[in-house]
Amino acid sequence: MVFKFLKRLEDPNNPLLGPTVSALRNGGLWQKDRVKSFFYISVHFVAFLFVISQYIELWIIRENLEMAMRNLSLTMLSTVCVFKACNLVFWQDSWKEILDYVSDTEKSQLLKKDEKITNIILDYIKYARRVTYFYWCLVTATVFTVILAPLLIYWTSPTYRESVKNGTAPYPEIMSAWIPIDRTRGIGYCIATLYQIFVTFYGGLVVANFDSTAIVIMTFFTGQLKVLSVNCENLFGDGNEPVSYDEAVKRIKDCHLHHLYMMKFSSQLNDLLSPVMFLYVIICSLMICASAVQLTTEGTGTMQRIWIAEYLMALIAQLFLYCWHSNDVLYMSMQVDDGVYSSAWWSQNVRIRRSLLLLGGQLRSTITFTAGPFTMLDMATFVAILKGSYSYYTLLSQKED
């Protein structure tokens, strides 16, 4: 049943992006119909109001460090979710341009039926599917963990159950957010819980769609750089086949345009991702720190530790996937010009060799993804964020002691 569902997500018009495009449309992040657009925009607005209520609650409970840490870890993640949703909705034309370029490029290459190129494309499509489905499972597990954690804590803690029954403790809540009615008991609690469940599913949907889309497109650029490197190696075959001047210039021009379009659309993708990743890098450092503080607090119960550990793992995995795939693109873009010098350039005349030198110079331009104007998204940044989070954790631990 699962495989049938996944197979339905495939789209011959979008060889790489079939599941991604389907998820964006069904998730309400891309809509053309006015009625549906109004409904989904209303959903986004309701989620935005919820984030505001989380910050109001954070101000109210600011004196209680433990409650503030728990509120902060989820409030910051909610902020990033809303920011990602706005990015997809308001700049969907730019996203669609990139996705159209990805699909058109792959379809034109697959039509040529070159075995090497086809194998490269199929390999990175298979890899992208694995990453996408793994990430969707991770987000789904995180969503259900966040929703079910308060209930599990209630069931596994007799002391807490007794406190709830005698009215000295509030009912367990999924997230800490202010509402203008009493949310600790009765109808107010039911309304708050349903609202929080809705927002949790909404946040999981946005995160799964945005992150998988960005990561899959990064995988595309890595794969296409490999394709370009192979095309450069095969510019003149093995050196023994006759290649006319016009044909040689055409092949060089095709490689140049291939790289030029990749530079253009990777820059466009970076313009979309960079503000989001700048916010996420800052927030992720604080979220990892806050989760680590909660994990090592003496008063934290066993089930709560499990919830925090799973949440912390999801945060680190999310950041790791961005940095890893961005690092792959950077590394491959630094190696792609080797294909020019691995070709049978020696079989060509001086005019062609000069053109090859110009192509080699063009291919030295690297593709980079950044988090704002301050840092690149690579493994060095990932390690630096973990170190910074540990430093914040040490500082907070000493202050608490």
Side-chain angles (χ1 to χ4, degrees):
M1 182 177 178
V2 175
F3 291 106
K4 287 183 179 179
F5 171 74
L6 295 179
K7 191 173 182 180
R8 289 175 58 188
L9 298 178
E10 300 295 337
D11 182 1
N13 293 321
N14 298 286
L16 174 66
L17 298 167
T20 304
V21 173
S22 178
L24 287 170
R25 288 174 178 167
N26 294 328
L29 294 165
W30 285 1
Q31 291 292 335
K32 291 183 179 180
D33 183 82
R34 290 187 177 182
V35 176
K36 290 183 178 180
S37 296
F38 177 78
F39 170 75
Y40 285 116
I41 289 174
S42 300
V43 170
H44 299 319
F45 182 70
V46 169
F48 172 76
L49 292 180
F50 182 81
V51 175
I52 298 298
S53 70
Q54 285 182 298
Y55 280 105
I56 294 174
E57 179 69 13
L58 179 61
W59 174 259
I60 294 173
I61 63 173
R62 64 188 183 279
E63 300 296 335
N64 189 321
L65 181 60
E66 182 180 351
M67 293 178 64
M69 285 291 104
R70 185 176 184 276
N71 176 287
L72 192 63
S73 61
L74 292 173
T75 299
M76 288 183 170
L77 186 59
S78 301
T79 303
V80 176
C81 288
V82 170
F83 201 67
K84 288 178 177 179
C86 292
N87 187 285
L88 285 171
V89 172
F90 294 145
W91 285 277
Q92 63 177 290
D93 290 340
S94 296
W95 281 102
K96 286 179 179 178
E97 283 183 14
I98 297 172
L99 268 61
D100 288 342
Y101 161 71
V102 171
S103 298
D104 291 343
T105 300
E106 289 172 341
K107 286 189 293 183
S108 64
Q109 291 171 345
L110 291 172
L111 285 175
K112 295 179 181 178
K113 297 183 179 179
D114 184 304
E115 186 176 355
K116 281 187 176 181
I117 304 303
T118 300
N119 287 336
I120 292 173
I121 294 174
L122 294 179
D123 283 344
Y124 75 69
I125 288 177
K126 186 184 297 184
Y127 172 78
R129 292 290 185 274
R130 291 173 180 172
V131 173
T132 299
Y133 297 148
F134 163 76
Y135 190 70
W136 286 359
C137 291
L138 178 63
V139 172
T140 302
T142 304
V143 167
F144 280 102
T145 300
V146 170
I147 292 174
L148 297 177
L151 187 60
L152 294 175
I153 293 171
Y154 176 81
W155 281 345
T156 56
S157 176
T159 304
Y160 179 64
R161 283 203 306 271
E162 187 62 31
S163 300
V164 172
K165 289 178 181 178
N166 60 31
T168 57
Y171 287 140
E173 61 179 1
I174 298 170
M175 287 184 281
S176 177
W178 175 85
I179 59 173
I181 57 177
D182 182 13
R183 70 176 192 273
T184 61
R185 291 289 188 276
I187 188 66
Y189 176 77
C190 294
I191 294 173
T193 301
L194 291 175
Y195 191 16
Q196 291 167 13
I197 290 174
F198 161 75
V199 172
T200 304
F201 276 113
Y202 167 85
L205 183 66
V206 171
V207 169
N209 278 321
F210 185 93
D211 293 344
S212 61
T213 300
I215 290 168
V216 165
I217 296 175
M218 288 181 182
T219 303
F220 163 81
F221 284 116
T222 303
Q224 285 300 310
L225 287 168
K226 293 179 182 178
V227 169
L228 178 58
S229 181
V230 170
N231 286 337
C232 289
E233 290 179 10
N234 297 330
L235 279 172
F236 314 110
D238 59 1
N240 295 320
E241 63 177 271
V243 180
S244 66
Y245 174 79
D246 291 338
E247 178 62 22
V249 170
K250 179 182 179 299
R251 294 179 183 181
I252 293 173
K253 181 180 178 181
D254 289 342
C255 291
H256 172 77
L257 289 176
H258 191 182
H259 187 260
L260 202 63
Y261 279 117
M262 278 196 286
M263 293 296 296
K264 173 188 174 182
F265 285 100
S266 64
S267 177
Q268 186 171 329
L269 176 64
N270 186 57
D271 291 340
L272 294 169
L273 285 181
S274 188
V276 178
M277 295 312 301
F278 175 65
L279 177 65
Y280 184 72
V281 164
I282 295 174
I283 287 180
C284 193
S285 302
L286 299 177
M287 285 193 297
I288 292 174
C289 167
S291 299
V293 170
Q294 294 178 75
L295 194 62
T296 55
T297 301
E298 292 183 1
T300 306
T302 303
M303 289 305 303
Q304 194 170 359
R305 290 178 190 273
I306 294 174
W307 171 79
I308 295 171
E310 200 281 335
Y311 178 75
L312 183 61
M313 181 184 71
L315 291 178
I316 295 174
Q318 186 179 19
L319 180 63
F320 174 79
L321 286 173
Y322 271 106
C323 292
W324 178 269
H325 289 91
S326 177
N327 195 83
D328 268 358
V329 177
L330 175 62
Y331 176 78
M332 194 61 213
S333 68
M334 295 170 64
Q335 304 295 320
V336 69
D337 64 320
D338 291 347
V340 174
Y341 307 108
S342 299
S343 66
W345 57 267
W346 43 267
S347 64
Q348 302 301 306
N349 58 39
V350 176
R351 293 177 68 188
I352 295 298
R353 292 180 189 180
R354 287 174 181 169
S355 298
L356 280 176
L357 285 175
L358 292 175
L359 177 62
Q362 165 67 25
L363 298 184
R364 289 177 65 87
S365 301
T366 56
I367 297 176
T368 57
F369 296 102
T370 60
F374 302 110
T375 185
M376 289 197 306
L377 277 179
D378 54 17
M379 291 308 296
T381 300
F382 175 74
V383 174
I385 291 172
L386 294 184
K387 288 181 178 179
S389 299
Y390 179 75
S391 299
Y392 299 148
Y393 161 72
T394 304
L395 181 63
L396 284 176
S397 298
Q398 291 175 351
K399 183 178 179 180
E400 186 177 359
D401 293 339

